[in-house]
Amino acid sequence: MNKTEWMRSFKFLLFSVSAGGIQLATDALFLEVFHFVPWLSYLIALVLSVLWNFTLNRKFTFRSANNVPIAMLKVAVFYLIFTPLSTLWTAYLTGDAVGWNEYVVLVATMLVNFVSEFLYDRFIVFGKSIDTAVKNK
């Protein structure tokens, strides 16, 4: 992997950590203050973090000039698959049958999301449009 790809991966990591912070804080707010069920709290927090992460990574990590609605639609397709699956496993793993801690499940889910979304964004969402927003010098 060349230096540019290492930097791209590092930026994605940093923005994902910031999105993760938003997701953790929002999830905690809805769990602890509003007493939402874990799956609903997770779902709301996920949507907010996805919007944040998409915006920053499109502009700064992948520097893509592609059509924003099309790129967002591709991300929506990813989340149309990931969200129901992760919501179901969150409900199952935090429910009476397994009883895992909500935050353990959330962090594990966020790690799965991080890896799978990076690969999806890198090769499918922004693959052919990477660095197209770079200004001419």
Side-chain angles (χ1 to χ4, degrees):
M1 187 178 331
N2 65 31
K3 183 179 175 183
T4 302
E5 287 302 316
W6 276 111
M7 281 306 298
R8 192 178 326 279
S9 299
F10 183 69
K11 286 178 189 177
F12 191 87
L13 173 66
L14 290 179
F15 292 136
S16 293
V17 167
S18 71
I22 289 169
Q23 187 171 351
L24 282 168
T26 304
D27 192 61
L29 174 71
F30 287 114
L31 280 173
E32 306 298 337
V33 176
F34 298 113
H35 307 289
F36 283 23
V37 293
W39 70 266
L40 181 58
S41 176
Y42 162 74
L43 188 59
I44 294 167
L46 177 66
V47 169
L48 294 175
S49 72
V50 167
L51 292 172
W52 172 264
N53 206 27
F54 172 81
T55 302
L56 292 176
N57 278 310
R58 180 187 165 278
K59 182 167 179 76
F60 299 109
T61 303
F62 298 108
R63 299 181 300 182
S64 173
N66 70 348
N67 186 304
V68 174
I70 290 173
M72 186 55 105
L73 181 62
K74 289 178 182 179
V75 171
V77 167
F78 174 85
Y79 280 100
L80 283 173
I81 297 166
F82 184 83
T83 302
L85 291 174
S86 59
T87 301
L88 287 171
W89 77 58
T90 296
Y92 175 74
L93 293 173
T94 61
D96 293 335
V98 179
W100 287 4
N101 179 278
E102 293 87 356
Y103 297 108
V104 169
V105 174
L106 178 62
V107 169
T109 300
M110 290 169 72
L111 289 172
V112 170
N113 186 14
F114 168 74
V115 172
S116 58
E117 188 176 3
F118 176 77
L119 294 172
Y120 185 81
D121 284 357
R122 171 65 180 85
F123 296 106
I124 295 172
V125 176
F126 302 112
K128 294 181 181 176
S129 68
I130 290 177
D131 295 333
T132 56
V134 177
K135 295 180 180 172
N136 294 331
K137 295 180 183 176

